[in-house]
Amino acid sequence: KQWYQRRVRGDIGGMVLANACGPCIGQWDRSDIEKGEKNTIVTSYNRNFTGRNDANPNTHGFVASPEIATALALAGTLKFNPETDSLLDSEGVEFMLDTPYGDELPTNGFDPGQDTYQPPPADGSNVAVDVDPTSNRLELLTPFSKWDGQDYNDLQLLIKVQGKCTTDHISAAGPWLKFRGHLNNISNNFLITATNAENGKMNSIKNVVSGEFGPVPGTARDYKAAGIGWVVVGDENYGEGSSREHAALEPRHLGGKAIIVRSFARIHETNLKKQGMLPLTFADPADYDKVQPGDKVSILGLTDFQPGLPFTCRLTHTDGSVDEFKLNHSFNENQIGWFKAGSALNKMAEA
């Protein structure tokens, strides 16, 4: 293995990475181009969203097999076809790459690695977790508040998201990942790359408290401090992409009550339920167009929360006019218990 890594680094300028998360979640400390420079990369990682690998929005990322990615890296051009094209060696002699081969699975099985599991104590009631209160990378979580038993009346529309909104848009990766153990700090990336339908801009929304446009996380914090609950409205397949728990933790931490969209990515919808949020869908997707900047949003029917029973949404617009329509949900009885307890963890703690 060490011989192979030395050959890769010395002969072709490559690097062998650990079989773990790395560039595919934006942790590439890239130095070969300037931020904003247009370029193309081909990787075998499982993500090619804008800016995903190197935080550069002008990097066009394409996903290919490890064999094709390696062949294109050796050739240095996207025009290279390893089945028909040749390369030049250090002496100017043409050669073609051999067809890749190898075992699909290791002949002797996988190395199980070292067993480092440490079982918890039988009685953990007196176990304390010490975290430096001045740390900006770790903080202890505090339980979310329980549902107060009332309908949600006159929640503030935080943002109406236009178009695609992945978990990367909701909670960006890259440099933010150093805060993944600190919910308050990582929440400063909440929806900062989502497009605001009101002005077509990212991270620029109207703050009804100050009357000024400002960043999404800061506006949400202002509403929370003022005791104003809020909702997000989104488009199709909201929350697609990686199943990032922080994309559900952050809106709950910042005072959000509900996410109302045309449709959800399944895993993100469940993650929101686990944190005590209400993930709801328009019964008629066209009702998305009725939502206007500055709307107050009421969600009626929570006092009779049942599986399969829709809620009523009442929009009060800034001119005083009102729209009403139905909102669907996919909660089952257990998940309704999560909501009423404030989160799935709260419900577990009750047992």
Side-chain angles (χ1 to χ4, degrees):
K1 180 179 178 182
Q2 291 179 347
W3 173 87
Y4 171 73
Q5 291 189 12
R6 285 197 301 269
R7 288 295 303 274
V8 169
R9 288 197 298 266
D11 294 356
I12 62 174
M15 180 179 295
V16 178
L17 299 181
N19 184 21
C21 288
C24 82
I25 56 170
Q27 296 192 101
W28 183 6
D29 185 14
R30 194 175 185 188
S31 59
D32 60 311
I33 64 167
E34 295 293 329
K35 183 74 173 288
E37 182 180 339
K38 292 183 178 181
N39 71 103
T40 296
I41 60 173
V42 180
T43 77
S44 60
Y45 300 115
N46 60 342
R47 296 285 186 264
N48 66 337
F49 303 149
T50 300
R52 176 67 183 243
N53 298 102
D54 61 358
N56 181 0
N58 287 323
T59 294
H60 300 282
F62 294 89
V63 177
S65 68
E67 294 83 0
I68 291 297
T70 301
L72 295 179
L74 291 172
T77 173
L78 297 176
K79 298 179 180 179
F80 180 68
N81 181 354
E83 292 185 327
T84 59
D85 299 341
S86 60
L87 298 172
L88 294 177
D89 66 14
S90 58
E91 297 178 356
V93 179
E94 288 191 2
F95 70 96
M96 293 187 67
L97 297 175
D98 291 338
T99 302
Y101 64 90
D103 295 331
E104 288 293 324
L105 294 171
T107 304
N108 298 321
F110 291 101
D111 181 352
Q114 183 179 359
D115 184 4
T116 58
Y117 174 69
Q118 297 181 24
D123 179 8
S125 58
N126 294 320
V127 175
V129 179
D130 294 326
V131 174
D132 184 350
T134 65
S135 172
N136 67 356
R137 297 186 66 170
L138 291 174
E139 70 169 350
L140 295 176
L141 295 176
T142 55
F144 293 130
S145 59
K146 295 183 178 182
W147 175 55
D148 64 4
Q150 304 298 314
D151 285 340
Y152 285 155
N153 286 293
D154 291 331
L155 303 175
Q156 183 63 49
L157 174 66
L158 179 70
I159 179 175
K160 179 181 178 181
V161 176
Q162 177 181 308
K164 176 179 283 193
C165 190
T166 70
T167 49
D168 262 2
H169 294 90
I170 302 168
S171 176
W176 290 98
L177 291 176
K178 62 178 174 287
F179 298 126
R180 61 187 179 272
H182 198 295
L183 180 56
N184 192 51
N185 282 347
I186 201 171
S187 293
N188 288 323
N189 71 2
F190 179 58
L191 284 173
I192 59 175
T193 58
T195 300
N196 181 7
E198 180 179 3
N199 55 14
K201 295 181 179 180
M202 294 187 296
N203 205 28
S204 176
I205 60 173
K206 183 71 171 291
N207 185 326
V208 299
V209 174
S210 68
E212 304 291 332
F213 278 83
V216 179
T219 303
R221 290 184 188 278
D222 284 352
Y223 292 170
K224 181 180 180 180
I228 302 171
W230 50 263
V231 304
V232 168
V233 169
D235 214 319
E236 297 281 1
N237 205 24
Y238 184 93
E240 65 176 289
S242 58
S243 55
R244 194 166 299 166
E245 197 75 23
H246 289 95
L249 281 162
E250 291 176 25
R252 184 73 161 101
H253 173 69
L254 294 175
K257 302 295 185 182
I259 310 292
I260 305 171
V261 300
R262 283 174 162 156
S263 66
F264 278 105
R266 178 181 56 83
I267 295 177
H268 183 61
E269 180 182 19
T270 302
N271 285 346
L272 287 167
K273 293 176 184 178
K274 288 191 294 183
Q275 304 308 333
M277 294 286 292
L278 282 177
L280 307 172
T281 56
F282 296 102
D284 180 358
D287 288 335
Y288 168 91
D289 296 322
K290 295 178 180 177
V291 181
Q292 302 174 18
D295 277 354
K296 295 292 181 66
V297 183
S298 296
I299 300 172
L300 311 176
L302 285 173
T303 54
D304 191 26
F305 200 165
Q306 299 178 37
L309 186 65
F311 299 123
T312 297
C313 179
R314 178 185 299 147
L315 296 179
T316 303
H317 307 300
T318 54
D319 63 1
S321 62
V322 173
D323 274 307
E324 284 195 0
F325 47 81
K326 294 297 182 181
L327 296 174
N328 294 330
H329 69 83
S330 62
F331 281 80
N332 59 35
E333 288 288 358
N334 286 337
Q335 293 168 342
I336 291 173
W338 298 347
F339 170 76
K340 291 181 177 179
S343 71
L345 283 177
N346 286 3
K347 186 64 177 178
M348 292 172 62
E350 294 176 355

